[in-house]
């Protein structure tokens, strides 16, 4: 199984997963634990947020995001990975790994085979290709300052469909809260108003058109190192990309002490309505109002989003 396959599909991912849990005790144990993870829901500003108590994610949530250099401890570099961790190649410049600390029942990390910093420039094409070939999965990307626990090594992730509230409930959400920003040449762009989650959604059948539109949008965000989370899905010949511009890495509650502290460090998963809580005290006690505050604190302000959307439309009109 430790060989290179340059294309990916659902079958090959399942083959990798089954091989991995049969020979790697850590991964097998954590996927078994996930099966019985505590879950509860909270209605938060128009979306049903799901909470997952997942102690195995403590290191990711509490990660110090200082970049790690190759050979000095980067857990995504081949030289530092466990011997038991298998891999398959993808696209000539990635290796696909089973994530041993899962959030999904099938959770993969797609890792650059070169130690290079986390950046979306030139990589969105690869996310779309993966999502199209592995149609049972969504792919997602966390920017270096908003969810990536290993920002020194380029990677994105994939998880099975039907788990993220955003993806699972998208048809309802866009009907209730969708506001059209642009529609022409097969490209449809909208955001959500009156809803706690605030993605800008791009839909199109043509990968070149949607990639150009999304990257133009990202380039308008006024940050040197863009803080953005991205989720990609492919269904029935159409790509759907949700982009979350961010204004903060972590919410204020992350830095508080005592009972007021919440160990929550949102990435694409949380922005899409699934909150991973490694501490039982947070899982049991976090409230809907706190989750709403977290969304407000880390999401781009509505007025700033409006400016960016207006500028973006001007660039393509």
């Amino acid at each position: 199984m430790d060989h290179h396959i340059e294309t990916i599909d659902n079958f090959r991912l399942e083959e990798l997963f089954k091989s991995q849990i049969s020979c790697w005790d850590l991964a097998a144990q954590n996927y078994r634990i996930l099966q019985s993870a505590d879950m509860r829901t909270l209605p938060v500003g128009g979306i049903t947020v799901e909470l997952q108590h997942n102690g195995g994610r403590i290191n990711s949530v509490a990660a110090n995001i200082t970049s790690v250099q190759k050979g000095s401890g980067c857990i995504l570099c081949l030289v530092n990975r466990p011997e038991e961790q298998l891999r398959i190649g993808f696209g000539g410049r990635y290796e696909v790994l089973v994530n041993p600390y899962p959030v999904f029942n099938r959770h993969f990390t797609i890792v650059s085979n070169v130690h290079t910093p986390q950046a979306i420039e030139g990589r969105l094409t690869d996310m779309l290709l993966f999502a199209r070939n592995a149609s049972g999965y969504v792919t997602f990307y966390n920017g270096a300052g908003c969810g990536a626990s290993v920002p020194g090594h380029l990677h994105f992730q994939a998880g099975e469909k039907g788990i993220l509230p955003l993806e699972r409930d998208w048809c309802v959400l866009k009907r209730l809260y969708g506001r059209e920003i642009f529609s022409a040449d097969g490209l449809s762009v909208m955001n959500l108003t009156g809803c706690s989650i605030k993605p800008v959604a791009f839909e199109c059948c043509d990968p070149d058109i949607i990639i150009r539109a999304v990257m133009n949008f990202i380039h308008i965000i006024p940050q040197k190192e863009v803080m953005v989370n991205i989720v990609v899905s492919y269904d029935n010949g159409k790509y759907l990309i949700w982009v979350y511009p961010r204004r903060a890495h972590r919410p204020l509650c992350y830095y508080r002490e005592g009972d007021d502290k919440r160990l929550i460090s949102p990435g694409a998963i949380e922005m899409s309505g699934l909150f991973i809580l490694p501490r039982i005290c947070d899982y049991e006690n976090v409230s809907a109002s706190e989750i709403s505050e977290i969304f407000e604190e880390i999401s781009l302000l509505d007025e700033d989003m409006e400016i960016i959307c207006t500028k973006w439309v001007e660039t393509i009109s």
Side-chain angles (χ1 to χ4, degrees), residues 26-292:
L26 173 65
Q29 175 182 333
N30 285 339
Y31 278 92
R32 282 196 301 269
I33 291 172
L34 183 64
Q35 296 298 312
S36 58
D38 292 329
M39 298 285 297
R40 71 184 182 100
T41 61
L42 287 174
V44 180
I47 186 171
T48 300
V49 168
E50 297 196 359
L51 310 180
Q52 179 189 109
H53 176 226
N54 189 332
R57 297 292 295 183
I58 186 72
N59 289 334
S60 294
V61 174
N64 181 336
I65 62 166
T66 302
S67 295
V68 178
Q69 298 301 314
K70 181 179 179 181
S72 64
C74 174
I75 62 173
L76 297 183
C77 283
L78 177 61
V79 67
N80 296 318
R81 292 182 213 150
E83 292 183 4
E84 301 92 339
Q85 191 163 33
L86 307 175
R87 65 193 192 275
I88 55 177
F90 167 64
R93 53 179 182 168
Y94 298 94
E95 292 180 329
V96 182
L97 313 174
V98 170
N99 192 319
Y101 302 102
V103 169
F104 305 85
N105 292 324
R106 299 291 188 272
H107 190 167
F108 299 91
T109 306
I110 300 91
V111 179
S112 170
N113 54 24
V114 176
H115 185 87
T116 188
Q118 187 81 335
I120 193 60
E121 195 73 37
R123 303 291 179 159
L124 188 58
T125 300
D126 303 322
M127 291 183 66
L128 267 63
L129 179 61
F130 193 102
R132 186 184 71 190
N133 290 347
S135 58
Y137 295 83
V138 293
T139 60
F140 56 98
Y141 169 89
N142 291 320
C146 54
S149 56
V150 188
H153 195 128
L154 176 69
H155 65 285
F156 57 95
Q157 299 177 67
E160 61 192 324
K161 287 181 177 176
I163 304 298
L164 295 180
L166 167 78
E167 178 261 328
R168 185 190 61 216
D169 302 334
W170 177 243
C171 289
V172 174
L173 290 171
K174 72 175 183 178
R175 176 169 53 83
L176 293 176
Y177 308 110
R179 179 183 73 104
E180 185 177 274
I181 297 172
F182 178 85
S183 182
D185 301 324
L187 173 67
S188 174
V189 184
M190 68 170 55
N191 64 358
L192 302 182
T193 60
C195 187
S196 285
I197 62 172
K198 301 177 180 180
V200 177
F202 298 76
E203 292 187 68
C204 191
C205 295
D206 189 317
D208 294 330
I209 290 175
I210 197 170
I211 288 169
R212 184 165 56 250
V214 170
M215 292 311 301
N216 284 347
F217 179 82
I218 289 174
H219 290 156
I220 294 172
I221 301 173
Q223 297 163 345
K224 182 179 180 181
E225 180 59 45
V226 174
M227 295 177 64
V228 66
N229 303 114
I230 300 172
V231 180
V232 177
S233 181
Y234 180 81
D235 284 293
N236 300 317
K238 181 175 289 187
Y239 297 96
L240 178 53
I241 303 177
W242 295 277
V243 179
Y244 293 95
R246 295 275 294 271
R247 66 186 178 108
H249 172 211
R250 285 164 171 160
L252 296 176
C253 61
Y254 185 93
Y255 304 101
R256 294 178 183 140
E257 301 293 336
D259 294 341
D260 293 331
K261 181 179 179 66
R262 296 283 181 252
L263 198 63
I264 297 174
S265 185
I269 292 173
E270 286 78 13
M271 298 300 288
S272 301
L274 175 61
F275 274 67
I276 309 305
L277 305 171
R279 303 195 310 175
I280 188 65
C281 60
D282 297 327
Y283 171 78
E284 291 179 341
N285 297 316
V286 70
S287 66
S289 62
E290 287 179 291
I291 297 294
S292 181

